[in-house]
Amino acid sequence: MQPRELVDHALDLLLEHDMTAFAGLWAEDGILEFPFAGPGYPKRVEGRDAIREYLRDYPNLLDIREVVAKTVHETADPAVVVVEFTVAGVVVASRKPYEMSYIAVITVEDGEIRRYRDYWSPLAAAEVLGGVDELTAAFTGGDRG
């Protein structure tokens, strides 16, 4: 799968809430990185299995219903794309509307994600989820009891 096709497929899986298949897009030793991660939040998740576990509860936090905008920028390296996208949906716990913009730098090798650098705003996510404590608990396993 080419990088642009992989992005389209990944967003479709996100809309389907199929996080197992979404995580399955990563290479066995692929990496998910969060350069803007705040305190208490993981900066890096390594390996497909760890990424699958990390993303497992995502649909229980956010019900993504629509990709509002998407632009894929090809780079000088054909294996790398930069994706700007905005998703909309509902915060599951509060039923409040959710809309957030992301930028991702994605490296694809052999049809799989080798590296995904997710440049998102922890402050914007904290605001929509109800605060920093809720954000940290949601994405670090604090609510998985």
Side-chain angles (χ1 to χ4, degrees), residues 31-116:
I31 298 168
L32 174 59
E33 294 180 286
F34 303 99
F36 296 153
Y41 190 88
K43 291 193 176 290
R44 185 178 177 109
V45 182
E46 296 184 42
R48 182 187 301 137
D49 291 339
I51 292 166
R52 183 177 292 115
E53 178 61 22
Y54 174 79
L55 295 171
R56 176 177 54 107
D57 289 331
Y58 189 85
N60 297 326
L61 302 169
L62 299 171
D63 177 8
I64 302 301
R65 298 178 177 178
E66 178 182 9
V67 176
V68 177
K70 177 187 74 173
T71 303
V72 179
H73 303 277
E74 295 180 355
T75 69
D77 181 343
V80 178
V81 292
V82 177
V83 184
E84 299 176 74
F85 63 101
T86 301
V87 296
V90 175
V91 176
V92 173
S94 68
R95 305 309 302 164
K96 290 183 180 178
Y98 175 85
E99 187 169 308
M100 182 102 132
S101 296
Y102 300 83
I103 294 177
V105 179
I106 304 170
T107 303
V108 176
E109 291 178 8
D110 299 323
E112 298 178 309
I113 298 172
R114 172 69 50 200
R115 186 172 181 193
Y116 186 113

Side-chain angles (χ1 to χ4, degrees), residues 11-45:
L11 291 174
D12 287 343
L13 292 170
L14 189 63
L15 289 172
E16 293 168 12
H17 305 122
D18 189 345
M19 302 319 290
T20 299
F22 185 76
L25 297 175
W26 267 260
E28 187 67 34
D29 60 348
I31 298 168
L32 174 59
E33 294 180 286
F34 303 99
F36 296 153
Y41 190 88
K43 291 193 176 290
R44 185 178 177 109
V45 182

